[in-house]
PDB file of all heavy atoms in Angstrom:
ATOM      1  N   THR Q   1       0.866  -1.183   0.000  1.00  0.00           N
ATOM      2  CA  THR Q   1       0.000   0.000   0.000  1.00  0.00           C
ATOM      3  C   THR Q   1       0.900   1.230   0.000  1.00  0.00           C
ATOM      4  O   THR Q   1       1.615   1.495   0.968  1.00  0.00           O
ATOM      5  CB  THR Q   1      -0.916   0.016   1.232  1.00  0.00           C
ATOM      6  OG1 THR Q   1      -1.751  -1.144   1.208  1.00  0.00           O
ATOM      7  CG2 THR Q   1      -1.782   1.259   1.242  1.00  0.00           C
ATOM      8  N   ARG Q   2       0.871   1.985  -1.101  1.00  0.00           N
ATOM      9  CA  ARG Q   2       1.724   3.168  -1.227  1.00  0.00           C
ATOM     10  C   ARG Q   2       1.084   4.388  -0.577  1.00  0.00           C
ATOM     11  O   ARG Q   2       1.768   5.212   0.037  1.00  0.00           O
ATOM     12  CB  ARG Q   2       1.981   3.455  -2.708  1.00  0.00           C
ATOM     13  CG  ARG Q   2       2.635   2.304  -3.460  1.00  0.00           C
ATOM     14  CD  ARG Q   2       4.062   2.125  -3.045  1.00  0.00           C
ATOM     15  NE  ARG Q   2       4.732   1.106  -3.834  1.00  0.00           N
ATOM     16  CZ  ARG Q   2       6.015   0.773  -3.699  1.00  0.00           C
ATOM     17  NH1 ARG Q   2       6.752   1.390  -2.798  1.00  0.00           N
ATOM     18  NH2 ARG Q   2       6.547  -0.162  -4.449  1.00  0.00           N
ATOM     19  N   LEU Q   3      -0.221   4.550  -0.762  1.00  0.00           N
ATOM     20  CA  LEU Q   3      -0.987   5.623  -0.124  1.00  0.00           C
ATOM     21  C   LEU Q   3      -2.204   5.005   0.537  1.00  0.00           C
ATOM     22  O   LEU Q   3      -2.880   4.156  -0.054  1.00  0.00           O
ATOM     23  CB  LEU Q   3      -1.416   6.677  -1.139  1.00  0.00           C
ATOM     24  CG  LEU Q   3      -0.314   7.494  -1.820  1.00  0.00           C
ATOM     25  CD1 LEU Q   3      -0.922   8.424  -2.867  1.00  0.00           C
ATOM     26  CD2 LEU Q   3       0.488   8.303  -0.803  1.00  0.00           C
ATOM     27  N   ASP Q   4      -2.521   5.467   1.735  1.00  0.00           N
ATOM     28  CA  ASP Q   4      -3.586   4.856   2.518  1.00  0.00           C
ATOM     29  C   ASP Q   4      -4.597   5.923   2.936  1.00  0.00           C
ATOM     30  O   ASP Q   4      -4.378   6.674   3.887  1.00  0.00           O
ATOM     31  CB  ASP Q   4      -2.990   4.176   3.750  1.00  0.00           C
ATOM     32  CG  ASP Q   4      -4.010   3.376   4.539  1.00  0.00           C
ATOM     33  OD1 ASP Q   4      -5.171   3.278   4.100  1.00  0.00           O
ATOM     34  OD2 ASP Q   4      -3.642   2.843   5.602  1.00  0.00           O
ATOM     35  N   ASN Q   5      -5.696   6.040   2.172  1.00  0.00           N
ATOM     36  CA  ASN Q   5      -6.813   6.914   2.519  1.00  0.00           C
ATOM     37  C   ASN Q   5      -6.357   8.361   2.730  1.00  0.00           C
ATOM     38  O   ASN Q   5      -6.667   9.001   3.724  1.00  0.00           O
ATOM     39  CB  ASN Q   5      -7.518   6.395   3.773  1.00  0.00           C
ATOM     40  CG  ASN Q   5      -8.892   7.015   3.948  1.00  0.00           C
ATOM     41  OD1 ASN Q   5      -9.578   7.324   2.969  1.00  0.00           O
ATOM     42  ND2 ASN Q   5      -9.292   7.211   5.191  1.00  0.00           N
ATOM     43  N   VAL Q   6      -5.647   8.890   1.733  1.00  0.00           N
ATOM     44  CA  VAL Q   6      -5.073  10.244   1.819  1.00  0.00           C
ATOM     45  C   VAL Q   6      -6.085  11.278   1.355  1.00  0.00           C
ATOM     46  O   VAL Q   6      -6.709  11.125   0.300  1.00  0.00           O
ATOM     47  CB  VAL Q   6      -3.794  10.335   0.964  1.00  0.00           C
ATOM     48  CG1 VAL Q   6      -3.375  11.780   0.765  1.00  0.00           C
ATOM     49  CG2 VAL Q   6      -2.681   9.530   1.610  1.00  0.00           C
ATOM     50  N   SER Q   7      -6.233  12.350   2.123  1.00  0.00           N
ATOM     51  CA  SER Q   7      -7.082  13.485   1.750  1.00  0.00           C
ATOM     52  C   SER Q   7      -6.336  14.780   2.058  1.00  0.00           C
ATOM     53  O   SER Q   7      -5.704  14.902   3.120  1.00  0.00           O
ATOM     54  CB  SER Q   7      -8.406  13.461   2.521  1.00  0.00           C
ATOM     55  OG  SER Q   7      -9.163  12.312   2.207  1.00  0.00           O
ATOM     56  N   LEU Q   8      -6.403  15.745   1.143  1.00  0.00           N
ATOM     57  CA  LEU Q   8      -5.815  17.063   1.384  1.00  0.00           C
ATOM     58  C   LEU Q   8      -6.390  18.055   0.401  1.00  0.00           C
ATOM     59  O   LEU Q   8      -6.954  17.688  -0.629  1.00  0.00           O
ATOM     60  CB  LEU Q   8      -4.285  17.031   1.255  1.00  0.00           C
ATOM     61  CG  LEU Q   8      -3.668  16.922  -0.148  1.00  0.00           C
ATOM     62  CD1 LEU Q   8      -2.308  17.596  -0.178  1.00  0.00           C
ATOM     63  CD2 LEU Q   8      -3.544  15.479  -0.562  1.00  0.00           C
ATOM     64  N   ARG Q   9      -6.235  19.342   0.737  1.00  0.00           N
ATOM     65  CA  ARG Q   9      -6.715  20.447  -0.094  1.00  0.00           C
ATOM     66  C   ARG Q   9      -5.589  21.459  -0.235  1.00  0.00           C
ATOM     67  O   ARG Q   9      -5.056  21.949   0.755  1.00  0.00           O
ATOM     68  CB  ARG Q   9      -7.945  21.109   0.554  1.00  0.00           C
ATOM     69  CG  ARG Q   9      -9.175  20.197   0.616  1.00  0.00           C
ATOM     70  CD  ARG Q   9     -10.161  20.669   1.684  1.00  0.00           C
ATOM     71  NE  ARG Q   9     -10.736  21.969   1.379  1.00  0.00           N
ATOM     72  CZ  ARG Q   9     -11.843  22.163   0.650  1.00  0.00           C
ATOM     73  NH1 ARG Q   9     -12.474  21.121   0.125  1.00  0.00           N
ATOM     74  NH2 ARG Q   9     -12.322  23.376   0.449  1.00  0.00           N
ATOM     75  N   ILE Q  10      -5.215  21.756  -1.483  1.00  0.00           N
ATOM     76  CA  ILE Q  10      -4.128  22.690  -1.765  1.00  0.00           C
ATOM     77  C   ILE Q  10      -4.733  23.972  -2.315  1.00  0.00           C
ATOM     78  O   ILE Q  10      -5.409  23.955  -3.350  1.00  0.00           O
ATOM     79  CB  ILE Q  10      -3.133  22.100  -2.788  1.00  0.00           C
ATOM     80  CG1 ILE Q  10      -2.596  20.749  -2.317  1.00  0.00           C
ATOM     81  CG2 ILE Q  10      -2.004  23.089  -3.047  1.00  0.00           C
ATOM     82  CD1 ILE Q  10      -1.819  20.812  -1.042  1.00  0.00           C
ATOM     83  N   PRO Q  11      -4.531  25.105  -1.638  1.00  0.00           N
ATOM     84  CA  PRO Q  11      -5.136  26.361  -2.103  1.00  0.00           C
ATOM     85  C   PRO Q  11      -4.487  26.856  -3.391  1.00  0.00           C
ATOM     86  O   PRO Q  11      -3.323  26.547  -3.678  1.00  0.00           O
ATOM     87  CB  PRO Q  11      -4.869  27.325  -0.942  1.00  0.00           C
ATOM     88  CG  PRO Q  11      -3.697  26.768  -0.236  1.00  0.00           C
ATOM     89  CD  PRO Q  11      -3.771  25.282  -0.390  1.00  0.00           C
ATOM     90  N   PRO Q  12      -5.225  27.620  -4.178  1.00  0.00           N
ATOM     91  CA  PRO Q  12      -4.639  28.179  -5.408  1.00  0.00           C
ATOM     92  C   PRO Q  12      -3.562  29.203  -5.082  1.00  0.00           C
ATOM     93  O   PRO Q  12      -3.542  29.792  -3.995  1.00  0.00           O
ATOM     94  CB  PRO Q  12      -5.843  28.833  -6.091  1.00  0.00           C
ATOM     95  CG  PRO Q  12      -6.815  29.116  -4.994  1.00  0.00           C
ATOM     96  CD  PRO Q  12      -6.632  28.028  -3.982  1.00  0.00           C
ATOM     97  N   ALA Q  13      -2.661  29.387  -6.048  1.00  0.00           N
ATOM     98  CA  ALA Q  13      -1.584  30.384  -5.930  1.00  0.00           C
ATOM     99  C   ALA Q  13      -0.812  30.212  -4.627  1.00  0.00           C
ATOM    100  O   ALA Q  13      -0.537  31.170  -3.908  1.00  0.00           O
ATOM    101  CB  ALA Q  13      -2.154  31.794  -6.035  1.00  0.00           C
ATOM    102  N   SER Q  14      -0.451  28.975  -4.319  1.00  0.00           N
ATOM    103  CA  SER Q  14       0.324  28.683  -3.116  1.00  0.00           C
ATOM    104  C   SER Q  14       1.504  27.796  -3.485  1.00  0.00           C
ATOM    105  O   SER Q  14       1.527  27.175  -4.547  1.00  0.00           O
ATOM    106  CB  SER Q  14      -0.543  27.981  -2.064  1.00  0.00           C
ATOM    107  OG  SER Q  14      -1.006  26.723  -2.557  1.00  0.00           O
ATOM    108  N   LEU Q  15       2.479  27.746  -2.577  1.00  0.00           N
ATOM    109  CA  LEU Q  15       3.666  26.903  -2.752  1.00  0.00           C
ATOM    110  C   LEU Q  15       3.675  25.906  -1.600  1.00  0.00           C
ATOM    111  O   LEU Q  15       3.895  26.266  -0.445  1.00  0.00           O
ATOM    112  CB  LEU Q  15       4.925  27.768  -2.749  1.00  0.00           C
ATOM    113  CG  LEU Q  15       6.283  27.074  -2.940  1.00  0.00           C
ATOM    114  CD1 LEU Q  15       6.285  26.192  -4.175  1.00  0.00           C
ATOM    115  CD2 LEU Q  15       7.398  28.109  -3.022  1.00  0.00           C
ATOM    116  N   THR Q  16       3.413  24.639  -1.921  1.00  0.00           N
ATOM    117  CA  THR Q  16       3.245  23.590  -0.912  1.00  0.00           C
ATOM    118  C   THR Q  16       4.337  22.548  -1.060  1.00  0.00           C
ATOM    119  O   THR Q  16       4.659  22.120  -2.176  1.00  0.00           O
ATOM    120  CB  THR Q  16       1.881  22.905  -1.063  1.00  0.00           C
ATOM    121  OG1 THR Q  16       0.851  23.872  -0.866  1.00  0.00           O
ATOM    122  CG2 THR Q  16       1.712  21.775  -0.054  1.00  0.00           C
ATOM    123  N   ALA Q  17       4.913  22.128   0.064  1.00  0.00           N
ATOM    124  CA  ALA Q  17       5.929  21.078   0.065  1.00  0.00           C
ATOM    125  C   ALA Q  17       5.360  19.804   0.656  1.00  0.00           C
ATOM    126  O   ALA Q  17       4.628  19.839   1.655  1.00  0.00           O
ATOM    127  CB  ALA Q  17       7.145  21.519   0.878  1.00  0.00           C
ATOM    128  N   VAL Q  18       5.704  18.681   0.041  1.00  0.00           N
ATOM    129  CA  VAL Q  18       5.388  17.361   0.583  1.00  0.00           C
ATOM    130  C   VAL Q  18       6.702  16.773   1.083  1.00  0.00           C
ATOM    131  O   VAL Q  18       7.665  16.642   0.319  1.00  0.00           O
ATOM    132  CB  VAL Q  18       4.759  16.444  -0.481  1.00  0.00           C
ATOM    133  CG1 VAL Q  18       4.441  15.077   0.119  1.00  0.00           C
ATOM    134  CG2 VAL Q  18       3.498  17.081  -1.054  1.00  0.00           C
ATOM    135  N   VAL Q  19       6.757  16.444   2.368  1.00  0.00           N
ATOM    136  CA  VAL Q  19       8.004  15.965   2.970  1.00  0.00           C
ATOM    137  C   VAL Q  19       7.750  14.649   3.681  1.00  0.00           C
ATOM    138  O   VAL Q  19       6.613  14.305   4.025  1.00  0.00           O
ATOM    139  CB  VAL Q  19       8.583  16.995   3.962  1.00  0.00           C
ATOM    140  CG1 VAL Q  19       8.858  18.321   3.271  1.00  0.00           C
ATOM    141  CG2 VAL Q  19       7.663  17.197   5.159  1.00  0.00           C
ATOM    142  N   GLY Q  20       8.820  13.923   3.926  1.00  0.00           N
ATOM    143  CA  GLY Q  20       8.723  12.649   4.632  1.00  0.00           C
ATOM    144  C   GLY Q  20       9.927  11.788   4.345  1.00  0.00           C
ATOM    145  O   GLY Q  20      10.752  12.105   3.484  1.00  0.00           O
ATOM    146  N   PRO Q  21      10.054  10.656   5.039  1.00  0.00           N
ATOM    147  CA  PRO Q  21      11.203   9.771   4.818  1.00  0.00           C
ATOM    148  C   PRO Q  21      11.158   9.143   3.428  1.00  0.00           C
ATOM    149  O   PRO Q  21      10.129   9.153   2.742  1.00  0.00           O
ATOM    150  CB  PRO Q  21      11.024   8.686   5.901  1.00  0.00           C
ATOM    151  CG  PRO Q  21      10.006   9.219   6.850  1.00  0.00           C
ATOM    152  CD  PRO Q  21       9.146  10.156   6.089  1.00  0.00           C
ATOM    153  N   ASN Q  22      12.288   8.571   3.012  1.00  0.00           N
ATOM    154  CA  ASN Q  22      12.313   7.817   1.767  1.00  0.00           C
ATOM    155  C   ASN Q  22      11.297   6.686   1.832  1.00  0.00           C
ATOM    156  O   ASN Q  22      11.195   5.982   2.832  1.00  0.00           O
ATOM    157  CB  ASN Q  22      13.701   7.221   1.522  1.00  0.00           C
ATOM    158  CG  ASN Q  22      14.735   8.284   1.211  1.00  0.00           C
ATOM    159  OD1 ASN Q  22      15.735   8.390   1.905  1.00  0.00           O
ATOM    160  ND2 ASN Q  22      14.502   9.066   0.189  1.00  0.00           N
ATOM    161  N   GLY Q  23      10.533   6.518   0.749  1.00  0.00           N
ATOM    162  CA  GLY Q  23       9.546   5.451   0.689  1.00  0.00           C
ATOM    163  C   GLY Q  23       8.239   5.765   1.385  1.00  0.00           C
ATOM    164  O   GLY Q  23       7.365   4.890   1.491  1.00  0.00           O
ATOM    165  N   ALA Q  24       8.065   7.014   1.844  1.00  0.00           N
ATOM    166  CA  ALA Q  24       6.845   7.368   2.572  1.00  0.00           C
ATOM    167  C   ALA Q  24       5.634   7.481   1.664  1.00  0.00           C
ATOM    168  O   ALA Q  24       4.491   7.357   2.127  1.00  0.00           O
ATOM    169  CB  ALA Q  24       7.046   8.690   3.320  1.00  0.00           C
ATOM    170  N   GLY Q  25       5.835   7.734   0.371  1.00  0.00           N
ATOM    171  CA  GLY Q  25       4.720   7.891  -0.556  1.00  0.00           C
ATOM    172  C   GLY Q  25       4.652   9.245  -1.214  1.00  0.00           C
ATOM    173  O   GLY Q  25       3.669   9.566  -1.885  1.00  0.00           O
ATOM    174  N   LYS Q  26       5.699  10.057  -1.083  1.00  0.00           N
ATOM    175  CA  LYS Q  26       5.684  11.414  -1.639  1.00  0.00           C
ATOM    176  C   LYS Q  26       5.534  11.397  -3.161  1.00  0.00           C
ATOM    177  O   LYS Q  26       4.654  12.066  -3.719  1.00  0.00           O
ATOM    178  CB  LYS Q  26       6.971  12.152  -1.239  1.00  0.00           C
ATOM    179  CG  LYS Q  26       7.204  12.284   0.255  1.00  0.00           C
ATOM    180  CD  LYS Q  26       8.444  13.082   0.571  1.00  0.00           C
ATOM    181  CE  LYS Q  26       9.720  12.456   0.048  1.00  0.00           C
ATOM    182  NZ  LYS Q  26      10.000  11.141   0.678  1.00  0.00           N
ATOM    183  N   THR Q  27       6.403  10.638  -3.824  1.00  0.00           N
ATOM    184  CA  THR Q  27       6.349  10.577  -5.287  1.00  0.00           C
ATOM    185  C   THR Q  27       5.050   9.951  -5.756  1.00  0.00           C
ATOM    186  O   THR Q  27       4.454  10.396  -6.749  1.00  0.00           O
ATOM    187  CB  THR Q  27       7.552   9.791  -5.827  1.00  0.00           C
ATOM    188  OG1 THR Q  27       8.760  10.506  -5.501  1.00  0.00           O
ATOM    189  CG2 THR Q  27       7.475   9.617  -7.339  1.00  0.00           C
ATOM    190  N   THR Q  28       4.569   8.935  -5.067  1.00  0.00           N
ATOM    191  CA  THR Q  28       3.303   8.298  -5.434  1.00  0.00           C
ATOM    192  C   THR Q  28       2.160   9.291  -5.376  1.00  0.00           C
ATOM    193  O   THR Q  28       1.297   9.334  -6.269  1.00  0.00           O
ATOM    194  CB  THR Q  28       3.012   7.107  -4.500  1.00  0.00           C
ATOM    195  OG1 THR Q  28       4.097   6.178  -4.579  1.00  0.00           O
ATOM    196  CG2 THR Q  28       1.721   6.409  -4.889  1.00  0.00           C
ATOM    197  N   LEU Q  29       2.140  10.138  -4.334  1.00  0.00           N
ATOM    198  CA  LEU Q  29       1.097  11.148  -4.208  1.00  0.00           C
ATOM    199  C   LEU Q  29       1.169  12.140  -5.365  1.00  0.00           C
ATOM    200  O   LEU Q  29       0.138  12.456  -5.991  1.00  0.00           O
ATOM    201  CB  LEU Q  29       1.236  11.871  -2.869  1.00  0.00           C
ATOM    202  CG  LEU Q  29       0.291  13.048  -2.631  1.00  0.00           C
ATOM    203  CD1 LEU Q  29      -1.171  12.606  -2.705  1.00  0.00           C
ATOM    204  CD2 LEU Q  29       0.589  13.722  -1.287  1.00  0.00           C
ATOM    205  N   LEU Q  30       2.369  12.631  -5.666  1.00  0.00           N
ATOM    206  CA  LEU Q  30       2.497  13.600  -6.747  1.00  0.00           C
ATOM    207  C   LEU Q  30       2.105  12.989  -8.088  1.00  0.00           C
ATOM    208  O   LEU Q  30       1.450  13.641  -8.911  1.00  0.00           O
ATOM    209  CB  LEU Q  30       3.936  14.116  -6.824  1.00  0.00           C
ATOM    210  CG  LEU Q  30       4.464  14.928  -5.640  1.00  0.00           C
ATOM    211  CD1 LEU Q  30       5.776  15.600  -6.010  1.00  0.00           C
ATOM    212  CD2 LEU Q  30       3.465  15.963  -5.166  1.00  0.00           C
ATOM    213  N   GLN Q  31       2.495  11.747  -8.330  1.00  0.00           N
ATOM    214  CA  GLN Q  31       2.172  11.109  -9.604  1.00  0.00           C
ATOM    215  C   GLN Q  31       0.683  10.826  -9.729  1.00  0.00           C
ATOM    216  O   GLN Q  31       0.133  10.862 -10.831  1.00  0.00           O
ATOM    217  CB  GLN Q  31       2.993   9.836  -9.774  1.00  0.00           C
ATOM    218  CG  GLN Q  31       4.470  10.111  -9.973  1.00  0.00           C
ATOM    219  CD  GLN Q  31       5.273   8.870 -10.296  1.00  0.00           C
ATOM    220  OE1 GLN Q  31       4.783   7.747 -10.174  1.00  0.00           O
ATOM    221  NE2 GLN Q  31       6.520   9.046 -10.706  1.00  0.00           N
ATOM    222  N   ALA Q  32       0.015  10.574  -8.622  1.00  0.00           N
ATOM    223  CA  ALA Q  32      -1.439  10.398  -8.670  1.00  0.00           C
ATOM    224  C   ALA Q  32      -2.131  11.722  -8.971  1.00  0.00           C
ATOM    225  O   ALA Q  32      -3.087  11.779  -9.758  1.00  0.00           O
ATOM    226  CB  ALA Q  32      -1.946   9.812  -7.348  1.00  0.00           C
ATOM    227  N   ILE Q  33      -1.659  12.801  -8.365  1.00  0.00           N
ATOM    228  CA  ILE Q  33      -2.219  14.131  -8.646  1.00  0.00           C
ATOM    229  C   ILE Q  33      -2.030  14.481 -10.114  1.00  0.00           C
ATOM    230  O   ILE Q  33      -2.932  15.048 -10.755  1.00  0.00           O
ATOM    231  CB  ILE Q  33      -1.564  15.188  -7.735  1.00  0.00           C
ATOM    232  CG1 ILE Q  33      -2.015  14.987  -6.276  1.00  0.00           C
ATOM    233  CG2 ILE Q  33      -1.906  16.599  -8.201  1.00  0.00           C
ATOM    234  CD1 ILE Q  33      -1.288  15.866  -5.284  1.00  0.00           C
ATOM    235  N   ALA Q  34      -0.867  14.124 -10.665  1.00  0.00           N
ATOM    236  CA  ALA Q  34      -0.550  14.476 -12.048  1.00  0.00           C
ATOM    237  C   ALA Q  34      -1.146  13.514 -13.064  1.00  0.00           C
ATOM    238  O   ALA Q  34      -1.036  13.756 -14.264  1.00  0.00           O
ATOM    239  CB  ALA Q  34       0.959  14.537 -12.229  1.00  0.00           C
ATOM    240  N   GLY Q  35      -1.749  12.419 -12.600  1.00  0.00           N
ATOM    241  CA  GLY Q  35      -2.341  11.461 -13.522  1.00  0.00           C
ATOM    242  C   GLY Q  35      -1.345  10.479 -14.102  1.00  0.00           C
ATOM    243  O   GLY Q  35      -1.711   9.662 -14.958  1.00  0.00           O
ATOM    244  N   ILE Q  36      -0.083  10.515 -13.667  1.00  0.00           N
ATOM    245  CA  ILE Q  36       0.903   9.552 -14.152  1.00  0.00           C
ATOM    246  C   ILE Q  36       0.564   8.167 -13.626  1.00  0.00           C
ATOM    247  O   ILE Q  36       0.646   7.171 -14.357  1.00  0.00           O
ATOM    248  CB  ILE Q  36       2.315   9.984 -13.730  1.00  0.00           C
ATOM    249  CG1 ILE Q  36       2.663  11.310 -14.396  1.00  0.00           C
ATOM    250  CG2 ILE Q  36       3.344   8.918 -14.075  1.00  0.00           C
ATOM    251  CD1 ILE Q  36       3.911  11.947 -13.872  1.00  0.00           C
ATOM    252  N   THR Q  37       0.190   8.107 -12.364  1.00  0.00           N
ATOM    253  CA  THR Q  37      -0.473   6.924 -11.813  1.00  0.00           C
ATOM    254  C   THR Q  37      -1.958   7.262 -11.782  1.00  0.00           C
ATOM    255  O   THR Q  37      -2.398   8.045 -10.926  1.00  0.00           O
ATOM    256  CB  THR Q  37       0.026   6.621 -10.386  1.00  0.00           C
ATOM    257  OG1 THR Q  37       1.431   6.399 -10.414  1.00  0.00           O
ATOM    258  CG2 THR Q  37      -0.678   5.389  -9.828  1.00  0.00           C
ATOM    259  N   PRO Q  38      -2.760   6.750 -12.739  1.00  0.00           N
ATOM    260  CA  PRO Q  38      -4.157   7.190 -12.844  1.00  0.00           C
ATOM    261  C   PRO Q  38      -4.931   6.977 -11.542  1.00  0.00           C
ATOM    262  O   PRO Q  38      -5.008   5.859 -11.033  1.00  0.00           O
ATOM    263  CB  PRO Q  38      -4.713   6.302 -13.969  1.00  0.00           C
ATOM    264  CG  PRO Q  38      -3.500   5.905 -14.769  1.00  0.00           C
ATOM    265  CD  PRO Q  38      -2.402   5.769 -13.777  1.00  0.00           C
ATOM    266  N   PRO Q  39      -5.467   8.048 -10.973  1.00  0.00           N
ATOM    267  CA  PRO Q  39      -6.218   7.907  -9.716  1.00  0.00           C
ATOM    268  C   PRO Q  39      -7.630   7.393  -9.980  1.00  0.00           C
ATOM    269  O   PRO Q  39      -8.174   7.609 -11.072  1.00  0.00           O
ATOM    270  CB  PRO Q  39      -6.253   9.338  -9.182  1.00  0.00           C
ATOM    271  CG  PRO Q  39      -6.248  10.186 -10.422  1.00  0.00           C
ATOM    272  CD  PRO Q  39      -5.406   9.445 -11.431  1.00  0.00           C
ATOM    273  N   PRO Q  40      -8.250   6.712  -9.019  1.00  0.00           N
ATOM    274  CA  PRO Q  40      -9.655   6.316  -9.181  1.00  0.00           C
ATOM    275  C   PRO Q  40     -10.547   7.541  -9.340  1.00  0.00           C
ATOM    276  O   PRO Q  40     -10.222   8.643  -8.875  1.00  0.00           O
ATOM    277  CB  PRO Q  40      -9.959   5.568  -7.883  1.00  0.00           C
ATOM    278  CG  PRO Q  40      -8.626   5.160  -7.338  1.00  0.00           C
ATOM    279  CD  PRO Q  40      -7.673   6.237  -7.753  1.00  0.00           C
ATOM    280  N   ARG Q  41     -11.664   7.365 -10.006  1.00  0.00           N
ATOM    281  CA  ARG Q  41     -12.608   8.470 -10.193  1.00  0.00           C
ATOM    282  C   ARG Q  41     -13.019   9.058  -8.845  1.00  0.00           C
ATOM    283  O   ARG Q  41     -13.252   8.343  -7.888  1.00  0.00           O
ATOM    284  CB  ARG Q  41     -13.863   7.993 -10.934  1.00  0.00           C
ATOM    285  CG  ARG Q  41     -13.663   7.807 -12.427  1.00  0.00           C
ATOM    286  CD  ARG Q  41     -14.946   7.281 -13.085  1.00  0.00           C
ATOM    287  NE  ARG Q  41     -14.778   7.162 -14.530  1.00  0.00           N
ATOM    288  CZ  ARG Q  41     -15.177   8.078 -15.391  1.00  0.00           C
ATOM    289  NH1 ARG Q  41     -15.771   9.184 -14.954  1.00  0.00           N
ATOM    290  NH2 ARG Q  41     -14.998   7.899 -16.689  1.00  0.00           N
ATOM    291  N   GLY Q  42     -13.072  10.381  -8.832  1.00  0.00           N
ATOM    292  CA  GLY Q  42     -13.548  11.085  -7.653  1.00  0.00           C
ATOM    293  C   GLY Q  42     -12.514  11.309  -6.578  1.00  0.00           C
ATOM    294  O   GLY Q  42     -12.811  11.950  -5.561  1.00  0.00           O
ATOM    295  N   THR Q  43     -11.262  10.825  -6.772  1.00  0.00           N
ATOM    296  CA  THR Q  43     -10.266  10.953  -5.700  1.00  0.00           C
ATOM    297  C   THR Q  43      -9.343  12.155  -5.876  1.00  0.00           C
ATOM    298  O   THR Q  43      -8.747  12.623  -4.909  1.00  0.00           O
ATOM    299  CB  THR Q  43      -9.401   9.685  -5.604  1.00  0.00           C
ATOM    300  OG1 THR Q  43      -8.782   9.440  -6.873  1.00  0.00           O
ATOM    301  CG2 THR Q  43     -10.248   8.484  -5.203  1.00  0.00           C
ATOM    302  N   VAL Q  44      -9.198  12.663  -7.099  1.00  0.00           N
ATOM    303  CA  VAL Q  44      -8.332  13.818  -7.350  1.00  0.00           C
ATOM    304  C   VAL Q  44      -9.091  14.835  -8.197  1.00  0.00           C
ATOM    305  O   VAL Q  44      -9.546  14.520  -9.301  1.00  0.00           O
ATOM    306  CB  VAL Q  44      -7.035  13.420  -8.075  1.00  0.00           C
ATOM    307  CG1 VAL Q  44      -6.211  14.671  -8.401  1.00  0.00           C
ATOM    308  CG2 VAL Q  44      -6.207  12.467  -7.217  1.00  0.00           C
ATOM    309  N   GLN Q  45      -9.225  16.051  -7.659  1.00  0.00           N
ATOM    310  CA  GLN Q  45      -9.878  17.146  -8.367  1.00  0.00           C
ATOM    311  C   GLN Q  45      -8.835  18.218  -8.687  1.00  0.00           C
ATOM    312  O   GLN Q  45      -8.076  18.636  -7.808  1.00  0.00           O
ATOM    313  CB  GLN Q  45     -10.983  17.769  -7.496  1.00  0.00           C
ATOM    314  CG  GLN Q  45     -12.078  16.807  -7.076  1.00  0.00           C
ATOM    315  CD  GLN Q  45     -13.097  16.601  -8.183  1.00  0.00           C
ATOM    316  OE1 GLN Q  45     -13.429  17.536  -8.906  1.00  0.00           O
ATOM    317  NE2 GLN Q  45     -13.598  15.379  -8.292  1.00  0.00           N
TER     318      GLN Q  45
END
């Protein structure tokens, strides 16, 4: 399980950092947001 029931809201015109240990899921989260790892319907707006 790379990401487990993750929810967050990023405001417009902001600079947000995702931090954590190696293997925590940072890249997986970004790739899901970007559609590189296609997210399930309704999970990424």
Side-chain angles (χ1 to χ4, degrees):
T1 299
R2 302 289 185 178
L3 295 176
D4 187 4
N5 196 33
V6 166
S7 297
L8 74 151
R9 294 159 65 88
I10 305 297
S14 62
L15 181 52
T16 299
V18 180
V19 301
N22 291 122
K26 301 183 298 296
T27 296
T28 302
L29 175 59
L30 295 192
Q31 291 186 348
I33 290 173
I36 296 170
T37 301
R41 283 178 177 263
T43 57
V44 176
Q45 301 280 323

